[in-house]
Amino acid sequence: MKRVVLSMILAIGSLNAYNISLNKRFTSQVVPKKLGLSVSINIRDKDLNSVLNKLTEYSDFIKSFKGLEINGGIFNTNPEYRYYNNKRKKIGYRGNLYFQIKSKDDNKLKEFVSMLSAKNSGSNVDLSISSSSWQVAPKDIDAKKDELRFEAIKWANKYANKLSQKLNSECKVISIDFGSFNYPRPPIVYARDMNTNKVESMPTPIRKSQKFSVNPHIKFECK
């Protein structure tokens, strides 16, 4: 439901002119086209080179999937310690690797998850995957922003004509401040650890239309 908040301000210095300010919300919906996955790989080993080699192996494997939109590849390594009789002893190293993966085809993502899980044959490798739900492409967000702005501008001009008729005055738009553009990010839908060598199925989040809105502050001058 659209809401209009109307406030009237008398312009100082003129008895025949006054300003009218109002806020009006414009909303629209877009169906997301891409499903996004977050992949995290955790590797433990006694030797740092072994950790780095394993991270590189998984990184190359993930990047080999040409049919997916793959971002990230950020990794870090840290030494691991254990305490014996209040003394710290280094027991090895731990490495982490992160990727963000998107696709318009959820079947390709399911195939990717299945193959990645099948590769996970080492007890020192932990894989986890989480779904960030269906996502709207940046270009679709920009297009929706323009659409709502033009809708607001056209509405403001029509409303100025309506004010002129109702108030028996000459009214015009003097400013439109769009402020922020509201696009609620979808929450994480599910997460799972993949510690087995086989994934029977991967749940696919329900694709729902996502709401966009803009709430411009519009000023009119009437004489």
Side-chain angles (χ1 to χ4, degrees), residues 41-45 51 55 76-78 93-97:
I41 301 169
N42 182 275
I43 297 174
R44 294 182 177 89
D45 209 304
V51 171
L55 289 175
N76 60 70
T77 59
N78 300 98
Y93 292 86
R94 176 174 181 162
N96 296 282
L97 180 65

Side-chain angles (χ1 to χ4, degrees), residues 101-117:
I101 301 171
K102 300 178 184 178
S103 177
K104 294 181 179 180
D105 188 347
D106 60 321
N107 289 324
K108 288 184 178 180
L109 285 179
K110 289 181 180 180
E111 180 183 2
F112 164 77
V113 170
S114 179
M115 295 180 67
L116 181 62
S117 179

Side-chain angles (χ1 to χ4, degrees), residues 8-20 174 220-223:
M8 184 176 295
I9 303 174
L10 292 178
I12 299 175
S14 175
L15 297 178
N16 297 321
Y18 54 90
N19 293 340
I20 297 175
I174 58 175
F220 303 89
E221 182 183 75
C222 296
K223 295 180 180 180

